[in-house]
Amino acid sequence: MRDFLRDLGLSGVNSGAGARGWVENPGGDELTSLTPVTGEPIAKVRQADESDYETVIAAAQERFVEWRMRPAPIRGEVVRAIGNELRKHKRPLAKLVSWEMGKILSEGEGEVQEAIDIADFAVGLSRQLYGLTMHSERERHRMYEQWHPLGTIGIVTAFNFPVAVWAWNAMIAAVCGDTMVWKPSSKTPLCAIAVQNICNRVMKEYDCEGLFTLVVGRGSTIGEKLINDERIPLISATGSCRMGRRIGEAVARRLGRSLLELGGNNAVIVEADANLDMALRAIAFGAMGTTGQRCTSTRRIFLHKSIAKDFVERLVRAYESVPIGDPLEAGTLVGPMVDEGAIEDMMNALAQAKSEGAEILCGGGRVDRKGCFVQPTIVRARNDMKIVQEETFAPILYVMEYETLDEAIALQNGVRQGLSSSIFTSSMYSSERFLSHEGSDCGIANVNIGTSGAEIGGAFGGEKETGGGREAGSDSWKAYMRRQTNTLNWSTDLPLAQGVHFDI
Ligand code: NAD
């Protein structure tokens, strides 16, 4: 067994249900987690069945009644302890992320750092869950807002950020006074179990077991149970647009709340006056980093006609020399895709692109070695091609040209998704135009920075089919609480609002 698995308390067969400590021998099927680096099994997980789900929810609900009464700064102390444990286990956890999901170690470390950063942010937030005070129109009345905890919330996460996405939700929700049930992706159950092991230790020390709970199970069974559960006021779900549509509908049907973080189809515009060296590096990282499996990965680039030819040649050279290999080895920049299914999706997308008249400029195949390795691929395409309109979760970059900035912005906005966007330019006019109301329609719009790699301090999320949710920094915490408006009358009269009289 590898050292990092032992350090994180993972065994040959692990429980996939965390309630108050681990549920021993949950009743669901056994799930084997494979590393995409070699295709070998890493460890097994005994998944939760419906009765384990009930055990987990009961623990989270029981804890909520007590947890919500702890003052928010005291709740923050638990989150601080989780952050410190994540710091202590940063290296082994990062290695596990690389080994189970395939991203390179530096990105694995970045992911755990993001979880630590959001814990720090949440600790500060625990003293700042501010409500507004308004002036009442009535004499000797006071009107204000306060924010109360919501209850036990559901967190559904994607495979590509198997630690950080949980943390964006969980660290904030915990200081807001909620308890939570986490359903991770079945492609990365061990990362979730390693995190739950950390949480279990901290919860025991702070006497708050049931605050962070876990159910590993299929989306179609345990996932469906969670999203249809009327005891869960909020489902925060990260994943594909298809999954988001399903979850959004199910939660809306019971008039629950959903916070959706779905797929992107992110573009970079490169103007003729841009610093092309910077643009090239940003696009290379955005499109090839995490093997094209970030929600913010760069999928389309629009190059000004005057620079397109040379720029594409340089980009092709960069693609052809990028080190692909074991994500844990120093020097590797592109690791494997998550599994064989992901490679199949990529190859199908490339076949469709060709059938629609696109031209493959480099890459396009598998890498000849064991594991799920592919060649990052550049394709000359048109924005109106069906395949370009979709998010293929793979390192495929569609290259297109434009003549005017208006045309480039219209093309960048001309897809159903609206997550991340960027422009490279040295013109103040172009950058302001891009960031204005008539510019990018995405939740994230950057100037001289690529589409991928957001900081936690800002609210993260996207528009249109990306789902409209916002997580992480700024005032995203409000999604995890309920707002109450209070009006308090300290006069001896009973005036009605808007001057209405009702004298009996
Ligand atoms: P996915 O949609 O296949 O699965 C995401 C999660 O949803 C998994 O845990 C899955 O088990 C669960 N799920 C699926 N059907 C469900 C159902 N009916 N009920 C409850 N749960 C269900 O996505 P994936 O392949 O794991 O991740 C890749 C996708 O996630 C991409 O589209 C990517 O853009 C998106 N993503 C978005 C963000 C963001 O913040 N916008 C971040 C990361 C990933």
Side-chain angles (χ1 to χ4, degrees), residues 26 38 53 214 296 304 309 478:
T38 62
Y53 173 84
L214 177 71
T296 51
H304 189 267
K309 187 168 174 293
K478 290 177 177 170

Side-chain angles (χ1 to χ4, degrees), residues 156-161 165 168 183-187 217-227 235 237-244 246-247 260-264 266 293-296 299 338 391 393 419 460-462 466 471:
V156 177
T157 56
F159 78 84
N160 65 331
F161 278 91
V165 168
W168 293 351
K183 198 215 82 60
S185 165
S186 303
K187 294 177 186 175
R218 291 211 182 99
S220 55
T221 53
I222 291 299
E224 282 291 320
K225 212 165 154 47
L226 178 67
I227 64 179
I235 299 284
T238 303
S240 56
C241 295
R242 194 182 52 185
M243 171 284 278
R246 168 77 202 121
I247 293 187
L260 300 175
E261 293 285 357
L262 311 175
N266 319 296
Q293 298 167 111
R294 284 194 186 208
C295 51
T296 51
R299 312 225 171 268
V338 69
E391 178 198 49
F393 218 52
L419 182 54
F460 181 90
T466 303
E471 285 174 3

